[in-house]
Amino acid sequence: MSTLLLLCLLVSSHALSQPVGSKLVQSSLTPPNPQAGRWRLMLDVGREQGTWMPPEWGSSGTRLAIPLLVDFLPLRSNLEDDPLVGRNSLLVKPVDEATFINENGEQTIQVQAGGWSVEPPKEGKSPAVLRFWLDFGEGGEKRDTVLPPGRVFFTAAGWMDEEIEVGNKARSGLVSLLENDILVKLKAAQEDYDQANALAKVGKLSNLVGLSTKRDNTMARIRSIDKSLPKKGDGNLKPGKFPFIESRFRIAGGGLCVKRPGKVMGSEYHILGTWSCTPVDTDESLRS
């Protein structure tokens, strides 16, 4: 069982026992809950490829940048669940109000607390997924790019340092096996096959096919591991504290969306932009 899978099981049981009340009252002048993870979010609201937002929304290319400081807390949110985040979400709350600049100068948004959850990684296939939402009150706008009022949903991949280390080690071992063993043997087998007469080729074909299959399977395993590790485009992901995680946690940039009624039935999530984050640690031992 992976460490993060164990984390997610612990989250559900631990959250049920957490007191709710005065512990949730916190201002930007007070230190964060010792188990909390404080992160600085940067929302980049604007038209993205594939969005279902109205054609006129953000058509000018205007981007709306909104920084926001939040705490991820090891407490039940006690807020209405949403299918995207899941049941029994934990609490994420703003430390202060959000600000942005538009053609009328600096504006503020009163942001309300929301819920967060972590979907555990699929070992060697995909990373953990952090999902959460916050309520952006009356929203905000800059020209034709509008942050709608109400809930905004955040999604991003996340990794513990141990998972990155294990993944990189497994990948390195497979690459070494591929380059120093399988491909060398395959090249020799191919040359041997090419030089053989028609009768001899029948006996050598099975070895050639077997090595080719081994090459393809090893390359597929490498590609699978690559999907579970940070991408090169993610840049230098800074590690930070996160509830229930004793080691460091790294979060990649992700997507923003809003929930809208479906055209036929149910609900749809419309792409609203992207977001990134950096940790704000009080524990010096977690800094790199």
Side-chain angles (χ1 to χ4, degrees):
M1 179 181 292
S2 73
T3 305
L4 197 49
L5 175 57
L6 180 60
L7 152 72
C8 294
L9 295 175
L10 289 173
V11 164
S12 297
S13 60
H14 183 86
L16 291 172
S17 65
Q18 292 302 304
V20 179
S22 60
K23 279 191 177 183
L24 305 189
V25 179
Q26 181 175 322
S27 72
S28 59
L29 299 179
T30 60
N33 181 307
Q35 288 184 289
R38 178 164 287 187
W39 293 73
R40 190 177 305 281
L41 313 181
M42 176 57 76
L43 286 69
D44 182 17
V45 181
R47 196 159 196 90
E48 299 285 338
Q49 184 176 2
T51 185
W52 289 350
M53 294 296 284
E56 66 276 9
W57 184 87
S59 60
S60 68
T62 298
R63 310 295 297 190
L64 178 58
I66 305 175
L68 178 64
L69 191 64
V70 301
D71 281 343
F72 292 92
L73 293 160
L75 306 169
R76 278 282 295 275
S77 69
N78 288 337
L79 298 168
E80 183 181 355
D81 292 327
D82 185 272
L84 184 66
V85 175
R87 299 178 58 187
N88 299 323
S89 63
L90 301 178
L91 185 68
V92 54
K93 62 178 301 184
V95 177
D96 48 24
E97 59 190 11
T99 62
F100 68 94
I101 297 175
N102 63 12
E103 54 272 27
N104 298 316
E106 185 174 270
Q107 310 295 321
T108 61
I109 306 174
Q110 298 297 324
V111 183
Q112 302 299 317
W116 69 268
S117 68
V118 174
E119 179 183 338
K122 296 179 177 63
E123 190 170 352
K125 294 183 179 180
S126 61
V129 180
L130 168 66
R131 295 185 178 95
F132 65 97
W133 57 265
L134 293 163
D135 192 319
F136 278 77
E138 298 181 356
E141 62 182 83
K142 183 177 181 181
R143 299 188 180 93
D144 60 354
T145 298
V146 179
L147 176 72
R151 289 187 178 186
V152 174
F153 295 87
F154 301 68
T155 305
W159 300 265
M160 292 192 300
D161 280 358
E162 291 90 338
E163 291 174 327
I164 296 176
E165 182 180 351
V166 169
N168 283 332
K169 185 176 180 179
R171 188 187 192 281
S172 178
L174 287 171
V175 169
S176 178
L177 175 66
L178 179 66
E179 295 178 348
N180 300 322
D181 182 67
I182 299 173
L183 292 181
V184 173
K185 291 179 179 177
L186 181 59
K187 182 180 178 182
Q190 183 68 60
E191 292 174 351
D192 189 32
Y193 178 83
D194 292 341
Q195 295 170 8
N197 58 43
L199 184 60
K201 282 184 176 180
V202 175
K204 297 179 182 296
L205 181 60
S206 61
N207 181 48
L208 185 62
V209 171
L211 287 168
S212 296
T213 300
K214 193 172 183 180
R215 175 202 60 194
D216 295 343
N217 290 342
T218 303
M219 291 177 67
R221 290 171 64 190
I222 293 171
R223 289 193 297 270
S224 181
I225 290 176
D226 285 343
K227 291 179 181 178
S228 71
L229 293 172
K231 297 177 176 61
K232 292 182 179 179
D234 290 334
N236 181 26
L237 303 178
K238 294 185 178 180
K241 294 174 66 176
F242 210 82
F244 306 105
I245 298 181
E246 294 182 0
S247 64
R248 304 186 294 182
F249 195 54
R250 300 173 190 261
I251 303 172
L256 295 171
C257 62
V258 289
K259 188 176 182 179
R260 292 291 180 262
K263 294 180 180 179
V264 179
M265 59 183 298
S267 301
E268 300 172 344
Y269 293 90
H270 294 193
I271 299 172
L272 196 65
T274 62
W275 68 284
S276 59
C277 63
T278 53
V280 181
D281 286 333
T282 57
D283 185 348
E284 290 291 335
S285 68
L286 292 178
R287 295 185 181 178
S288 63

